[in-house]
Amino acid sequence: EATAVREKEAEAFAKEKAEDDANIAAMQKAIAALERGMAGGFLQTATAPVLRRIVQGSEAIEDSDRQQLLAFLSGDARYAPASGQITGILKQMLETMEKDLAEATAQEEAAIKSYEELMAAKAKEVEALTAAIESKTKLIGELGVA
């Protein structure tokens, strides 16, 4: 039962980590493009829709920042990255995403350690019980012979 639970947890973490890694990579590409002054080119890449999805689903930013980012990602010229606002918001989101991933990774590592400790304890318990059964079986055999 513990193994099944652990496998489900590991599967959920792997899925979350893969998604987080992809989102972080998209965010890093966006920030790099904006810092190089390539906002227009960035908006034409496949990363822009990914970033739009991240922004829409993020609970880590305020609505006003979300509206600015979505307007920028829609190609609204009023939100030029030269102001640094867009880049600043993205950097803040990236920092939050990286922190969240680090926390999730730490929790996964703790869960793995806990599972391994549980399995080791259970193995020792089985070993002790097996020895007790063998001892009692031997004793019963000796009493039956006597």
Side-chain angles (χ1 to χ4, degrees):
E1 186 178 327
T3 300
V5 169
R6 181 68 215 114
E7 287 173 354
K8 280 179 120 176
E9 289 174 348
E11 184 180 319
F13 172 75
K15 184 178 177 182
E16 179 183 341
K17 183 177 183 333
E19 184 178 326
D20 288 352
D21 285 343
N23 291 346
I24 287 170
M27 191 72 68
Q28 289 169 332
K29 285 180 186 177
I31 292 169
L34 295 174
E35 288 178 338
R36 288 192 311 263
M38 300 174 61
F42 168 75
L43 294 175
Q44 304 303 314
T45 67
T47 306
V50 174
L51 186 59
R52 185 175 295 113
R53 181 184 50 78
I54 294 169
V55 169
Q56 287 173 333
S58 177
E59 296 175 12
I61 59 172
E62 295 181 21
D63 285 339
S64 60
D65 290 342
R66 182 184 337 276
Q67 289 171 357
Q68 281 186 323
L69 284 170
L70 291 174
F72 166 73
L73 291 169
S74 298
D76 191 330
R78 294 178 296 164
Y79 296 100
S83 68
Q85 262 186 317
I86 300 298
T87 306
I89 295 168
L90 292 176
K91 284 182 178 180
Q92 181 182 19
M93 286 180 65
L94 175 61
E95 186 178 299
T96 300
M97 291 167 64
E98 289 172 334
K99 180 178 152 261
D100 290 348
L101 178 57
E103 288 174 3
T105 301
Q107 288 175 347
E108 175 67 4
E109 290 169 356
I112 289 169
K113 184 179 178 192
S114 177
Y115 170 76
E116 289 172 349
E117 290 171 352
L118 173 67
M119 294 309 288
K122 288 293 182 185
K124 285 182 182 179
E125 184 180 343
V126 167
E127 193 177 301
L129 291 173
T130 301
I133 290 170
E134 288 173 359
S135 172
K136 289 179 181 178
T137 303
K138 182 179 175 187
L139 182 61
I140 290 172
E142 289 172 359
L143 290 175
V145 172

